[in-house]
Amino acid sequence: MTDKDKILIDDFFEGRNELADLFKQAAQQQIEDNGFTERVMQNLPEKTVTIHRLSCLWSLFCILVGAGLFFAFGGWQVLQGLFYGGLRMLLGWLEVFAITAPTTEININLWVVLLLLVFVLVFLPYQTYRKLSATL
């Protein structure tokens, strides 16, 4: 590294330190408002309460319309079909696994695999729910 590069780097870091000092000084500066903020907050219009109520009513209306459309157009049957399709796929995968596992050179115990699935699908969610409900 040349002396010119060193000088440029030192100047750069000095400038950063000066800028940081200016920011610290600006953050510590306090401006007196003589109660202006409190007066503004007290004189805000009451429309905010009305707007909040209208927002809640609009949200409720949208939820009700969405639920009505969900049932009117057979959304429940679609969810049911997705669930049963996923269940059939899982059972098919387990069947293929149970048939092909003994033919591999790796020793796989089917009971260990089933217990592992039960552990992952039942026990872990139960423990997670228990811990979350205890903290809340």
Side-chain angles (χ1 to χ4, degrees), residues 71-87:
F71 287 109
F73 290 112
W76 188 252
Q77 287 81 15
V78 171
L79 285 180
Q80 196 174 20
L82 286 172
F83 175 74
Y84 286 133
L87 186 62

Side-chain angles (χ1 to χ4, degrees), residues 83-117:
F83 175 74
Y84 286 133
L87 186 62
R88 284 188 195 126
M89 189 172 61
L90 177 67
L91 291 176
W93 179 82
L94 284 174
E95 181 183 5
V96 168
F97 180 74
I99 292 170
T100 59
T103 63
T104 62
E105 295 178 6
I106 303 170
N107 291 331
I108 298 174
N109 188 347
L110 186 61
W111 290 109
V112 172
V113 172
L114 290 176
L115 285 174
L116 183 64
L117 281 173

Side-chain angles (χ1 to χ4, degrees), residues 3 13 17 24 28-29 37 42 54 56 60-61 65 67 74-75 81 83 85 100 103 113 117 130:
D3 290 334
F13 282 115
N17 289 338
K24 285 179 187 175
Q28 293 173 353
Q29 184 180 5
T37 305
Q42 289 174 355
L54 288 175
C56 289
L60 180 64
F61 173 75
V65 168
F83 175 74
T100 59
T103 63
V113 172
L117 281 173
R130 228 180 83 208

Side-chain angles (χ1 to χ4, degrees), residues 12-84:
F12 173 74
F13 282 115
E14 277 182 27
R16 285 186 57 177
N17 289 338
E18 291 172 7
L19 190 61
D21 291 339
L22 286 174
F23 283 137
K24 285 179 187 175
Q25 290 174 359
Q28 293 173 353
Q29 184 180 5
Q30 297 213 358
I31 301 172
E32 292 295 324
D33 66 352
N34 297 327
F36 176 74
T37 305
E38 287 82 14
R39 289 193 307 270
V40 168
M41 294 302 290
Q42 289 174 355
N43 291 326
L44 284 177
E46 292 296 322
K47 291 181 182 179
T48 55
V49 174
T50 307
I51 291 171
H52 180 70
R53 285 183 189 152
L54 288 175
S55 173
C56 289
L57 287 174
W58 180 250
S59 297
L60 180 64
F61 173 75
C62 290
I63 289 170
L64 291 175
V65 168
L69 291 174
F70 176 79
F71 287 109
F73 290 112
W76 188 252
Q77 287 81 15
V78 171
L79 285 180
Q80 196 174 20
L82 286 172
F83 175 74
Y84 286 133

